[in-house]
């Protein structure tokens, strides 16, 4: 869990609500990790690297104006899930289309999605592979765009 607000009061509020063993990223040792089901990322700037340790990623922001970055998690070959406000984001639409992502609209859908991936490892791995393959298929896009931009400028 990587909240936007990482001040002490907010982290304590999250801890009080959790009903499963957890640990804070900045206050842990191997014993904490082995006994826990939730990691609270209580610092800024690490989320994109931490996805590599996950099995499924919940991408925040999908119940307001839009979602956060889906590709950071998909890069590591894990399924990504997000709320219903994803339609403005091509990558999210594409991830759903290839089977590497899914949209969840309520608690029941979220629980069902997690339970499906928890109990069906082959399905989770298949979805993760689709997510990772999608990201790899997009490699080189920056170079193509730059070539187009510079070729257009050369013609002017």
């Amino acid at each position: 869990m990587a909240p936007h607000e990482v001040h002490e009061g907010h982290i304590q509020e999250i801890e009080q609500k959790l009903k499963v063993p957890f640990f804070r990223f900045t206050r842990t040792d191997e014993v904490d990790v082995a006994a826990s089901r939730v990691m609270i990322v209580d610092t800024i700037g690490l989320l994109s690297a931490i996805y590599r340790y996950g099995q499924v990623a919940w991408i925040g922001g999908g119940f307001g104006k839009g979602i956060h970055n889906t590709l950071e998690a998909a890069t590591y070959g894990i399924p990504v899930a997000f709320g219903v406000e994803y339609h403005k984001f091509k990558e999210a639409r594409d991830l759903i289309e290839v089977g590497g992502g899914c949209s969840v609209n309520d608690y029941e859908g979220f629980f069902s999605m997690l339970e499906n991936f928890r109990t069906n490892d082959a399905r989770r791995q298949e979805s993760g592979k689709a997510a990772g393959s999608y990201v790899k298929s997009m490699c080189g896009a920056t170079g193509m765009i730059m070539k187009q931009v510079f070729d257009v400028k050369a013609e002017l």
Side-chain angles (χ1 to χ4, degrees):
M1 176 179 294
H4 280 282
E5 298 178 34
V6 295
H7 60 81
E8 184 62 23
H10 186 64
I11 298 298
Q12 287 180 0
E13 184 181 328
I14 291 169
E15 290 174 340
Q16 291 169 2
K17 292 179 180 179
L18 288 172
K19 306 282 189 239
V20 297
F22 63 88
F23 68 96
R24 288 190 195 196
F25 180 80
T26 61
R27 298 182 186 173
T28 191
D29 59 37
E30 290 182 27
V31 176
D32 291 331
V33 173
S36 297
R37 295 194 48 206
V38 174
M39 174 175 65
I40 302 171
V41 182
D42 57 344
T43 188
I44 300 293
L46 299 176
L47 183 58
S48 64
I50 290 173
Y51 281 125
R52 80 180 68 221
Y53 302 110
Q55 294 183 355
V56 178
W58 173 257
I59 308 301
F63 294 100
K65 294 181 181 180
I67 58 175
H68 297 286
N69 191 329
T70 56
L71 297 180
E72 287 179 341
T75 296
Y76 293 106
I78 60 175
V80 295
F82 35 82
V84 295
E85 297 298 329
Y86 68 89
H87 299 287
K88 295 186 291 185
F89 302 89
K90 180 184 181 339
E91 294 87 0
R93 294 190 316 267
D94 290 351
L95 283 165
I96 288 174
E97 186 176 318
V98 301
C102 63
S103 174
V104 174
N105 64 359
D106 56 22
Y107 173 78
E108 289 78 20
F110 178 75
F111 182 80
S112 176
M113 177 270 305
L114 282 181
E115 192 64 11
N116 181 24
F117 285 136
R118 187 185 72 76
T119 59
N120 189 339
D121 196 52
R123 172 71 181 112
R124 181 187 56 75
Q125 288 181 12
E126 177 184 309
S127 182
K129 184 176 180 181
S133 293
Y134 171 75
V135 173
K136 287 177 186 160
S137 76
M138 296 294 131
C139 288
T142 301
M144 292 184 334
I145 291 168
M146 294 300 291
K147 182 180 179 335
Q148 187 71 13
V149 168
F150 288 116
D151 283 349
V152 169
K153 283 186 173 182
E155 293 175 8
L156 297 174

